[in-house]
Amino acid sequence: MTEFATAPRPIRTILIANRGEIACRVIRTCKRLGLSSVAVYSDADADALHVRQADQALRIGPASAAESYLSIAAILDAASRSGADAIHPGYGFLSENAGFARACEEAGLIFIGPTSVAIAAMGSKIEAKKIAEAGGVPTVPGYLGADQSAAALAEQAARIGFPVLIKASAGGGGRGMRRVDGPEGFAAALQAAKAEAKGAFGDDTVLLEKFIGNPRHLEVQLMSDTHGNLVHLFERDCSVQRNNQKVFEEAPAPHLSEAVRTKLFDRALTLGRTIGYTSAGTVEFIMEAGGSEPYFLEMNTRLQVEHPVTEAVTGIDLVEWQIRVAAGLPLPAGQDQIRLQGHAIEARIAAERPDRGYQPATGRIQAVHVPRGVRFDTGIAAGSEVGPHYDSMIAKLIVHGANREHAVSALATGLDDLAVLGIGTNTGFLRACVARPDFAAGRLTTGFLAREFPDGWTPDAEQLRALRAQAALAWAHGLDPAGDSPWQRRSAFRVMGKRRAATVELRLQDDYGELDVMVRLETDAPVVRFEDGTEVSGTIPAATLVDGGRVQISRGGLSLDVQVSLAIDVDAGAAADAASDNHVTAPLPGVVTGLFVEAGALVAKGDSLVQMEAMKLVHTLAAPRDGRIARIHCAVGDVVASGAPLIDITADGEE
């Protein structure tokens, strides 16, 4: 019997109301503590890794998150069927839903997190800022008023002084946020921000903030129990972001004075005491780079995605502490017993294509090669299906070193050696970030990516060339299956003469283009010759899969899916089939969420035709030409593959 079974609030079985890597991570702690775990899954996740790892697994609905992971009734029903004592919400989905926490409390279930009252208090950015200000915690100058009229908000923006930020009060992730540099653009930006906030959160209330031009995003991890103990577990820097979504996180924050660090801890603890907080929570701050005044932004009343870096530098399992607090047990350590050990950095691995404007990627995972010496939190494995229904993050790579220099070196090596084959990921892009001098030096702000990649990211040309050569070598390596038999070798064999190397011309086609190379089948190892006369040979990366003419390969963080063909067999017209203006096809895998035309309708170039959603991003496809809708191949709710035909258009009068 574990200590949790005899705790003031006994816990024996925990249902994880989440999916993917965070569900697997909570299950791991449950197993270590001797607690039974219950996974829940939608139809899209029936064979997911978290389902296989848990002691029990229960279906809660169809693929749509609204009908499964966001359904309070479905989650509570699963808890009742499983006999769970407690529910861990993970992050995202219902984790910061005060109604869900209250429903758990009313059902007699232990919610592993703060009280519904604390969640509600911090759930509105406006109310959270008012509470912080009342408690003496400075906030960014702005407007939090109830008058939401366009005229009043425009007047307040002028008072604050441009540039200003318009921000949705409910929710986060950058939705409902607009920067406005002058009064002439305010009305349009306000209308767009309110519409986006209404669609994302059902609430178009906004607040205004003074725009900080070169900000650092800092946060403090809090933990408290029901016995009056409240501690901080140091700070994290989450400044490297894309569209207000974090990309890298690290602890401790680099280049931070002790005076600023003390302000962060004092202000976070003050807010925690003000609202009587319990469990794990994170207080977020923003500060001008080089400044000394961190301003309160918001509080996340849950476990953060980036919690592993805090675990790495403290040696504390935050999920275990959450469970202890929920069971009514005291924190196992006080503030003076919590020590900082070295430096940790986390990189978020996402199923997306940075080279295509961060387009979501879906498909079946063929192989996962995890580097040694790193922590790799994930919800995927070989055979896992990555679909369009949920967030694109599939894993987190976490490194720890004696200092930041060591941690950055370990991160570079880890990204070099990590390989996820079968779908596109952002690993190559992350590796390019780490190679930038400002990253190594810790000169990080929220403008890092825009500054370093102003025109977007594409693979390094030499790295791409080398990996293509390795793909050709991998394909050629399989041409001599007969071992020592001279009768079946592809090299030129003669009974009465010296063996000669055979050559073959190959066409390599991948997502970045195509090229022809010559492969010379030498006695010992093949050699690839490029059109400019340079030659490449060498070892084939371990992360390589060859299936007929398809070669999946990864090295140095860059992965390729290469189609290898004999040049004489290539159909020169195959690649041009088409993208005729007469056909609208899906630019990525996703779900059709809107159809704006009917068969026979006349449309003009640029008119909206179809709306698709993939991994929480919405894409609207427009008519490529004037014409008439000849045929519609899809319906709302259809899950379509990349390149799938959606709509045919003909010129008016054509058959």
Side-chain angles (χ1 to χ4, degrees), residues 319-371:
V319 173
E320 177 185 346
W321 278 32
Q322 281 187 300
I323 296 171
R324 290 184 63 86
V325 170
L329 298 169
L331 295 180
Q335 190 69 70
D336 59 351
Q337 297 170 295
I338 301 171
R339 298 283 186 269
L340 187 67
Q341 306 161 5
H343 200 99
I345 309 176
E346 172 181 290
R348 298 191 186 192
I349 311 301
E352 63 184 18
R353 295 289 304 272
D355 59 301
R356 295 183 177 178
Y358 302 91
Q359 183 184 98
T362 62
R364 184 173 294 277
I365 304 293
Q366 301 296 324
V368 181
H369 293 256
V370 180

Side-chain angles (χ1 to χ4, degrees), residues 16-330:
I16 300 106
N18 218 295
R19 64 178 300 277
E21 69 88 11
I22 185 56
C24 292
R25 188 262 170 276
V26 175
I27 290 168
R28 189 164 65 245
T29 290
C30 287
K31 289 184 182 298
R32 184 174 61 79
L33 298 178
L35 299 170
S36 179
S37 58
V38 181
V40 294
Y41 63 90
S42 71
D43 290 342
D45 281 337
D47 194 40
L49 192 60
H50 74 281
V51 173
R52 288 179 266 155
Q53 290 184 347
D55 297 309
Q56 296 183 63
L58 298 172
R59 178 187 180 274
I60 53 171
S64 166
E67 300 175 89
S68 52
Y69 298 108
L70 288 172
S71 172
I72 294 175
I75 298 291
L76 295 183
D77 176 65
S80 176
R81 287 186 284 146
S82 68
D85 311 301
I87 291 182
H88 194 299
Y91 49 72
F93 293 128
L94 294 170
S95 63
E96 291 182 285
N97 186 307
F100 178 53
R102 186 164 51 250
C104 290
E105 295 161 4
E106 292 171 353
L109 294 162
I110 298 171
F111 182 77
I112 302 178
T115 64
S116 58
V117 174
I119 295 174
M122 294 291 103
S124 162
K125 288 186 177 68
I126 289 177
E127 293 307 313
K129 286 177 180 289
K130 289 179 178 178
I131 292 170
E133 288 177 348
V137 177
T139 64
V140 179
Y143 172 70
L144 311 175
D147 190 342
Q148 291 284 301
S149 67
L153 289 167
E155 181 181 341
Q156 290 297 327
R159 176 188 62 80
I160 296 166
F162 293 96
V164 298
L165 272 183
I166 304 171
K167 297 176 69 174
S169 177
R175 292 179 176 86
M177 183 184 296
R178 295 291 188 278
R179 171 183 170 175
V180 188
D181 292 322
E184 62 282 352
F186 185 80
L190 176 64
Q191 183 179 17
K194 278 183 165 288
E196 190 171 84
K198 184 71 173 179
F201 314 118
D203 182 352
D204 67 355
T205 304
V206 299
L207 57 90
L208 304 179
E209 283 182 356
K210 178 67 178 175
F211 178 75
I212 297 177
N214 194 31
R216 295 184 65 180
H217 190 127
L218 306 167
E219 60 188 35
V220 177
Q221 177 70 61
L222 294 184
M223 183 67 74
S224 58
D225 60 26
T226 55
H227 300 268
N229 301 305
L230 173 65
V231 299
H232 70 77
L233 287 87
F234 307 105
E235 85 284 356
R236 298 184 287 255
D237 189 309
C238 306
S239 297
V240 182
Q241 301 179 9
R242 184 183 68 81
N243 292 340
N244 303 295
Q245 297 281 349
K246 299 166 186 174
V247 178
F248 293 95
E249 303 99 346
E250 59 184 291
H255 308 307
L256 204 62
S257 71
E258 285 306 310
V260 171
R261 192 168 273 118
T262 298
K263 287 181 180 180
L264 287 171
F265 298 157
D266 288 347
R267 291 172 184 182
L269 291 168
T270 295
L271 183 64
R273 294 189 192 99
T274 298
I275 62 173
Y277 196 79
T278 57
S279 193
T282 296
V283 185
E284 302 200 358
F285 297 87
I286 192 170
M287 183 181 77
E288 185 76 41
S292 61
E293 197 63 50
Y295 294 112
F296 169 76
L297 268 183
E298 61 182 336
M299 184 175 189
N300 290 306
T301 53
R302 54 168 167 82
L303 196 68
Q304 293 280 87
V305 174
E306 57 269 24
H307 76 274
V309 295
T310 294
E311 294 183 326
V313 297
T314 61
I316 292 169
D317 183 331
L318 292 180
V319 173
E320 177 185 346
W321 278 32
Q322 281 187 300
I323 296 171
R324 290 184 63 86
V325 170
L329 298 169

